[in-house]
Amino acid sequence: MVKEIVEKSNGITYKEVARKILKEQCFKSSQEEEELKEESNIKRRVYDALNVLISANIIYKEGRQVFKNSKANFPINERLIKIQKLKASR
C-alpha cells in the first residue's frame, strides 16, 4: 500500500503517506485513547515501510519528500535473485 501511494504521487512526505493510509482505515473504537494509539502505531509502520523501500532502492528520499525510483523498474523478485547471486559469488 505504501509503495503504491508513493508511485502514484509526484513527491510526497512521510506524513502525507501516513495520512492517506489513516484516511482509508476506519477506526471503530469507542475510546479516543485507543484510536490515538492505533494511529500512532500505523504511522510508525508507515515510516518503517518507507525506510525499507528506501533501503531496497525502490524509492528515494530528497529532503522531506519521497519519490519512486525510476531506475528500479524490474520486479523485486528479480532484484532478490541478483542479490543472492552476488552473495553466492563471493
Side-chain angles (χ1 to χ4, degrees):
M1 178 185 266
V2 173
K3 181 180 172 225
E4 287 82 16
I5 292 172
V6 173
E7 286 177 340
K8 289 178 185 175
S9 71
N10 189 18
I12 189 166
T13 65
Y14 280 35
K15 284 184 181 182
E16 290 169 338
V17 173
R19 282 189 202 128
K20 284 185 181 228
I21 290 174
L22 287 169
K23 251 187 208 179
E24 292 178 15
Q25 302 293 321
C26 294
F27 298 113
K28 297 180 181 174
S29 172
S30 59
Q31 295 179 348
E32 191 174 310
E33 186 177 318
E34 273 186 47
E35 289 176 15
L36 290 173
K37 285 181 183 177
E38 185 66 21
E39 182 178 331
S40 177
N41 188 37
I42 289 173
K43 284 181 180 179
R44 267 196 314 276
R45 299 300 156 236
V46 167
Y47 298 151
D48 291 345
L50 287 168
N51 285 323
V52 167
L53 291 171
I54 289 169
S55 296
N57 212 18
I58 295 170
I59 63 174
Y60 67 96
K61 184 176 177 184
E62 198 171 283
R64 291 185 173 188
Q65 301 275 320
V66 289
F67 300 89
K68 177 185 173 192
N69 188 351
S70 59
K71 295 176 184 172
N73 57 1
F74 49 92
I76 191 72
N77 290 342
E78 289 180 33
R79 296 182 79 166
L80 291 174
I81 291 169
K82 286 184 179 187
I83 291 169
Q84 289 172 348
K85 285 181 182 177
L86 285 171
K87 286 182 178 179
S89 68
R90 290 183 184 175

